[in-house]
Amino acid sequence: DFNEFDSDRSEVIARATALGVNRFIVPGIKRAFWSRQQQLTAEHNQCYLAFGFHPWFLADFEWQDLDALENCLSTQSPVAVGECGIDGAIEDIKLQSKVFEAQVTLANALQLPLIVHHRRSHHHIFAVFKRVRPMFGGIIHAFSGSKQEANKYLELGFKLGCGGVISYERAQKTRHVFQALDLSHIVLETDSPTMPLAKEQGGRNEPANIVKVANILAELKQTDVAVIADMTTRNVNQLFCL
């Protein structure tokens, strides 16, 4: 739903579909963008939505927006609450934590999984989860943490999002974690239009690149890419009840 795709959105979807990517999960970031997401699904029924407040976009957040979020989640058939979370590289961790905790509470009430953003913030996220335990799991988006942190998320019912980060040789810690994880705990993602793969920095990321992520993960795990595709698709179907 971002502006980067306004000129060729149908072509972007067609390119992905031609490679076997048939469904697209599009998280929300703030109230002003939710209507854009709904327009997206009206035009492209392969798209499934989540709604939430991303920590990068809290400058215009108001507490009454939570009522609007509950209404949107209750009426628009979303697959998850998110993208939500905590980012330790930006200001006001206290506000981020409160907004995130409110969304975890709402996800529990509506029996929905979460799509969780993190950056230098695993300890803050676990602190929120200690106060309000997430009851329906979700995805830790673009996971980059230790095996110990990974296991703590798995114990709470989360899957770990594997994206273009594993294409970078410098990301050895993350590569090793995904190499060691059982496939039942992994989902694939691109985070289009951001987080480009190695050697594609400065360009626009798009959903078709999830095939590249699958191939890299297959190399890391020394298995066939068809196995990666099958298991990660099953994980998404199970998690989001698709």
Side-chain angles (χ1 to χ4, degrees), residues 34-219:
W34 299 341
S35 59
R36 293 163 50 146
Q37 292 175 261
Q38 293 168 43
Q39 181 63 32
L40 178 64
T41 57
E43 297 173 358
H44 303 281
N45 61 10
Q46 312 100 311
C47 296
Y48 296 79
L49 305 182
F51 300 104
F53 302 108
H54 191 294
W56 289 1
F57 300 92
L58 294 180
D60 53 359
F61 171 80
E62 298 179 350
W63 286 105
Q64 58 262 37
D65 290 342
L66 284 168
D67 294 330
L69 176 60
E70 181 174 9
N71 179 66
C72 198
L73 292 167
S74 300
T75 60
Q76 298 298 319
S77 301
V79 297
V81 175
E83 185 172 340
C84 56
I86 302 173
D87 193 309
I90 58 178
E91 295 181 351
D92 208 339
I93 295 297
K94 186 176 181 180
L95 173 64
Q96 289 187 56
S97 297
K98 286 182 176 180
V99 175
F100 179 45
E101 183 173 335
Q103 291 178 90
V104 177
T105 300
L106 192 52
N108 284 347
L110 297 174
Q111 301 182 21
L112 288 168
L114 296 154
I115 297 175
V116 179
H117 168 93
H118 72 85
R119 185 170 58 158
R120 305 177 198 170
S121 59
H122 293 300
H123 57 301
H124 294 301
I125 290 170
F126 288 130
V128 170
F129 287 168
K130 189 171 183 179
R131 293 193 295 272
V132 181
R133 183 185 177 94
M135 303 303 295
F136 298 92
I139 292 173
I140 304 302
H141 162 54
F143 178 77
S144 60
S146 67
K147 189 67 164 63
Q148 182 182 20
E149 288 163 337
N151 286 334
K152 290 177 72 173
Y153 287 121
L154 300 184
E155 289 169 5
L156 289 166
F158 283 87
K159 310 290 186 188
L160 303 183
C162 178
V165 170
I166 65 167
S167 67
Y168 292 84
E169 285 295 328
R170 67 175 184 268
Q172 288 300 314
K173 182 180 74 171
T174 301
R175 286 163 62 92
H176 288 150
V177 168
F178 280 109
Q179 190 173 38
L181 278 175
D182 190 271
L183 273 175
S184 63
H185 303 309
I186 299 173
V187 297
L188 303 182
E189 56 187 19
T190 60
D191 201 36
S192 304
T194 56
M195 291 183 66
L197 281 72
K199 301 179 182 179
E200 298 181 9
Q201 297 96 317
R204 182 187 68 177
N205 197 1
E206 61 178 69
N209 286 335
I210 208 163
V211 177
K212 297 178 183 178
V213 175
N215 278 298
I216 296 166
L217 185 60
E219 291 175 12

